[in-house]
Amino acid sequence: MKLRNWILAAAAAVVALPLAAGSARAYELTIPSMDYRTGPYAPNGIPFANGWTDYFTMLNERDGGINGVKIKMVPCETAYNTKKGVECYEKTKKAGSGALVYQPLSTGITYQLIPKASVDKIPIHSMGYGRTSAANGKVFKWVFNFPATYWSQASALVKYIGEKEGGMDKLKGKKIHLVYHNSAYGKEPIRTLEKLSEKHGFAFKALAVDHPGQEQKATWLKIRRDKPDWILLWGWGVMNQVAIKEAVSIRFPMDRFIGVWWSGSENDVKPSGMAAKGYLSGAFHQPGKNFQAHRDILKYLYDAGKAPHPDFKDRVGEVLYNRGLVAAMWNSEAIRNAMKIHGTKEITGAMMRDGLEALDVDEARLKELGLGGFTIPVKITCANHEGPGIVAVQQWDGKKWSIVSKFYEPDMAVIQPLIDEDSMKYAKENNITPRTC
Amino acid sequence: MLFVLETVISGALAGIMYSLVALGFVLIFKASGVFNFSQGVMALFAALTLVGLLSGTIPFTNTDNPALALPVWAAIPLTIFVMFIVAVLIEKFILRHLVNQEHIILFMAMVGLTYVFEGVGDMMWGSDVKVLDLGLPQGAWDWLFDTHDLYVEKIEMVAAATAAVLVTVLAVFFQKTRIGRALRAVADDHQAALSVGISLRNIWIIVWSAAGIVALAAGVMWGAKSGVQFSLSLIALKALPVLILGGFTSIPGAIVGGLIIGIGEKLVEVFSGELIAAAFAGLIEIDPGVFSATENWFAYVLALFFLMFRPQGLFGEKIIERV
């Protein structure tokens, strides 16, 4: 055989062997991980991705997976770029034993994946982001956005402001400004806030900041001129850090400045340090690592040398790490549900969807998972994919975040008609017959 | 009226922050005819290196060892030395092989260099937000704020002073020194400069080192505002309209361009919505909010407007091609 033929034969063997091995590979619970560890949003993407990955990896190391089936993580770098996110989806949907669920961590990517979910029969969990009207499970069968939507959060934050002002009736005549990331994500709360301003009589103004938000001086000059009573921030990445610094510079009172839950991490306040003391943000889980699940992560991963990113040890328990962790916890519980409902350990994306729709993680279950008091109980139904929708407020004390309020119920009298209107419009545009639940 | 003044001052100071980045572009273009697309990432890399040295970060491990942390007086010269090494490497592995090539080839090489800088910087120092604490003053200038209700940021005043020093030093360097004349000769014609005995290699190393120092100054000023993080590299996008307006070869042009862009974009962002809404009042109802987020793109409108009348920029050298 000539040398060229040898080379061709060797190349064919290299290609064919993994395929042959793949066909005989044991079933694995395949979870794609839509990470962004590069680009301007990496400082936020990394802690979330590590929390998400660490929880599943800990289940593998501590329990041998879920009900004895190992979890296979398939990372893909999106750089918080919608186009790359869609490429990641296409690349990973058939990976391993087939993707079970997607957590895109981007409203832009989520919007692109929504039509694909029903075709590929892989559910999307856009946890606290994405398309708010996907809360209507009758229309959005494959999309889940629990534990709360942006609209619920906007409503909860206005309730917090009302409480601090001495009652919702005291909002009349007050000025609330929204500084938002000029993207699908940043624009999500505007309609709700407009409706709430009509209802409660406060003056509302939205100020857009273009990507990435490194320079936003003019926005803060407008705030100096307008002198709002409260500011809401719907930012991400460097936009948060600059906004908080600018607010400090113009001496805006930090305890009247509230970020969305994506604008309330350690990264966001670190450049301002003590000057950001008092700054507030939305929250649906605790910060910190004083929970058994965290202790297990440290024991089975970091101390055992099995952590995918060992240099992250000191940051376990940061806000965005915990956000990734709580997402992983709810998804792992949905996997258990799917196995139980369908009587098999080899579940598909469609079965996973059923598991998500039957999710019921109460406080007792959270305690069993080593996360007692960590987050709110979540119960999903066919009609309600948002779940509880309740939101608390956390505060930065200069060194750490702590939850400082009760959990506020959203004003569903305002929000539900908006959800119904938007979801039914989507159903009409896409020829979807709403399910009967 | 006071608020208009405040907007103009803030715009001028923000413009000088853009000029700090633009200066690096001008330096390299002036001396080598190369449009250094990687200037923004160089600013990020320089700032990352400085923070890394200050906090004792061990490169490529993303871990800090406080015992290795250097004081400011040692970290800044060492960062400048690192930027010098970077300049040597760029000359050795890129520029030397591209002598007398088409501008587009050099430009594409710079695009490639940008991504190399990004990747290496990320691997060396990590992607998280780093706090740059050099003791630079932060917040509003108290006296103006308390007595006149005028908001001027202290860090931007420091940036303006830094820019003034840099421009003076660079102007003297280019106009009054032998090396400066040699730099300009190289910019005019690589081959001709070589034929009269000018060492292209040395000139490029000098100019890239100088651009590295300017990048460090820009990285420090911007990093002090937002923390040192990847998005610092995008400040190059704020420098481009400044270059179009001021000219690619003029150091004073970079400053004047920065001032015009900074003041123009702030005035438009702050006042255009209300003014347009008022102008059309009674005819159609316009939401002033529609005219927000103009800050990023209006700078390019302004630059393109100037381009129509002076394609070489306000201070750029007029290109005369003999047929």
Side-chain angles (χ1 to χ4, degrees), chain A residues 37 39-40 43 46 208 210-211 214-215 217-218 221-222 224-225 238 241 245-246 249 251 270 311, chain B residues 3 6 18 62 127 129 138 142 146 149 151 153 156 224-226 229-231 266 269 293 295-296:
Chain A
R37 296 179 182 276
I46 290 170
D210 269 341
H211 157 88
Q214 184 85 43
E215 170 61 24
K217 175 73 73 191
L221 287 171
K222 284 195 245 184
R224 275 247 318 141
R225 178 190 58 190
V238 70
Q241 289 105 49
K245 270 232 158 184
E246 292 282 2
S249 286
R251 301 186 192 171
K270 223 162 57 173
D311 54 333
Chain B
F3 182 65
E6 182 175 302
Y18 307 156
N62 207 13
S127 306
V129 181
Q138 300 283 333
D142 300 316
D146 295 333
D149 192 28
Y151 167 54
E153 237 189 303
E156 291 181 344
K225 276 170 76 92
S226 62
Q229 54 181 306
F230 180 91
S231 56
K266 297 295 179 279
E269 171 80 43
E295 210 170 357
N296 269 1

Side-chain angles (χ1 to χ4, degrees), chain B residues 173-293:
Chain B
F173 180 67
F174 270 98
Q175 301 300 328
K176 306 287 180 191
T177 67
R178 278 188 66 188
I179 297 175
R181 278 196 292 277
L183 287 170
R184 287 184 308 177
V186 170
D188 284 344
D189 191 324
H190 292 173
Q191 296 287 37
L194 276 170
S195 69
V196 294
I198 294 172
S199 165
L200 214 54
R201 190 183 166 205
N202 290 346
I203 292 298
W204 274 346
I205 290 174
I206 290 167
V207 81
W208 276 80
S209 300
I213 294 169
V214 173
L216 175 62
V220 165
M221 294 307 158
W222 282 94
K225 276 170 76 92
S226 62
V228 178
Q229 54 181 306
F230 180 91
S231 56
L232 265 187
S233 62
L234 303 176
I235 55 176
L237 298 175
K238 302 295 295 187
L240 290 181
V242 172
L243 289 167
I244 296 170
L245 207 150
F248 281 78
T249 52
S250 169
I251 289 170
I255 299 295
V256 176
L259 289 172
I260 296 173
I261 293 286
I263 293 169
E265 69 177 22
K266 297 295 179 279
L267 286 173
V268 168
E269 171 80 43
V270 174
F271 297 108
S272 65
E274 278 78 4
L275 289 176
I276 293 170
F280 287 93
L283 295 170
I284 44 170
E285 194 178 332
I286 295 176
D287 173 14
V290 171
F291 295 91
S292 68

Side-chain angles (χ1 to χ4, degrees), chain B residues 14-98:
Chain B
I16 288 175
M17 296 280 283
Y18 307 156
S19 300
L20 272 178
V21 188
L23 273 178
F25 281 98
V26 169
L27 265 182
I28 290 178
F29 192 83
K30 196 175 165 70
S32 60
V34 176
F35 179 75
N36 180 22
F37 190 74
S38 66
Q39 188 65 29
V41 193
M42 271 176 74
L44 167 68
F45 185 81
L48 279 173
T49 305
L50 179 61
V51 178
L53 294 172
L54 287 168
S55 52
T57 306
I58 304 165
F60 301 106
T61 65
N62 207 13
T63 51
D64 290 351
N65 182 348
L68 298 175
L70 296 177
V72 175
W73 61 263
I76 290 177
L78 196 53
T79 305
I80 291 172
F81 179 70
V82 170
M83 295 314 287
F84 166 73
I85 298 294
V86 166
V88 172
L89 294 175
I90 290 170
E91 189 282 328
K92 187 175 171 62
F93 291 108
I94 301 175
L95 300 175
R96 186 183 295 185
H97 307 284
L98 298 175

Side-chain angles (χ1 to χ4, degrees), chain A residues 118-380:
Chain A
S118 54
V119 175
D120 294 327
K121 303 208 179 306
I122 305 171
I124 294 167
H125 178 209
S126 54
M127 185 189 66
Y129 58 89
R131 187 173 191 133
T132 294
S133 62
N136 184 354
K138 292 178 193 171
V139 174
F140 294 93
K141 184 181 172 186
W142 293 90
V143 188
F144 299 82
N145 52 13
F146 61 83
T149 65
Y150 287 135
W151 296 355
S152 294
Q153 183 172 192
S155 163
L157 298 182
V158 169
K159 279 194 174 180
Y160 173 84
I161 292 170
E163 190 179 283
K164 290 290 164 191
E165 291 289 352
M168 297 306 280
D169 56 317
K170 301 286 192 301
L171 286 177
K172 195 172 173 64
K174 297 286 177 197
K175 282 194 254 183
I176 301 178
H177 277 24
L178 169 74
V179 177
Y180 69 96
H181 194 274
N182 200 11
S183 62
Y185 150 65
K187 290 173 184 169
E188 274 286 324
I190 293 177
R191 273 187 76 204
T192 308
L193 290 167
E194 284 170 348
K195 291 279 178 196
L196 290 168
S197 82
E198 286 167 19
K199 180 174 178 178
H200 299 293
F202 61 83
F204 169 68
K205 192 172 189 178
L207 301 171
V209 173
D210 269 341
H211 157 88
Q214 184 85 43
E215 170 61 24
Q216 39 184 292
K217 175 73 73 191
T219 301
W220 291 89
L221 287 171
K222 284 195 245 184
I223 287 169
R224 275 247 318 141
R225 178 190 58 190
D226 297 347
K227 296 188 174 34
D229 299 288
W230 291 82
I231 300 175
L232 299 175
L233 174 66
W234 236 259
W236 191 226
V238 70
M239 179 184 158
N240 291 339
Q241 289 105 49
V242 174
I244 294 167
K245 270 232 158 184
E246 292 282 2
V248 168
S249 286
I250 66 165
R251 301 186 192 171
F252 190 86
M254 284 291 114
D255 58 357
R256 288 177 162 258
F257 186 20
I258 316 176
V260 62
W261 47 50
W262 301 116
S263 301
S265 73
E266 288 78 359
N267 277 335
D268 300 324
V269 285
K270 223 162 57 173
S272 297
M274 285 304 287
K277 189 178 172 181
Y279 171 68
L280 304 155
S281 92
F284 58 82
H285 60 76
Q286 295 282 351
K289 55 183 173 186
N290 196 22
F291 301 90
Q292 188 55 44
H294 292 77
R295 285 190 280 275
D296 286 348
I297 283 171
L298 290 169
K299 179 180 168 188
Y300 289 96
L301 302 188
Y302 289 91
D303 296 345
K306 289 182 176 170
H309 300 278
D311 54 333
F312 206 79
K313 186 178 180 182
D314 293 341
R315 297 179 61 191
V316 168
E318 282 190 2
V319 169
L320 289 176
Y321 180 92
N322 283 0
R323 187 113 356 121
L325 184 151
V326 77
M329 179 273 288
W330 279 321
N331 281 278
S332 63
E333 287 300 283
I335 290 171
R336 283 181 220 279
N337 276 352
M339 288 176 169
K340 197 172 159 190
I341 293 166
H342 292 279
T344 175
K345 289 183 178 179
E346 299 191 3
I347 61 166
T348 61
M351 294 174 185
M352 177 71 179
R353 195 213 71 82
D354 296 341
L356 282 162
E357 204 157 74
L359 197 70
D360 185 3
V361 182
D362 58 11
E363 182 56 25
R365 181 60 186 151
L366 285 172
K367 275 187 187 147
E368 286 169 11
L369 294 169
L371 289 167
F374 179 67
T375 187
I376 48 179
V378 166
K379 185 173 168 57
I380 304 304

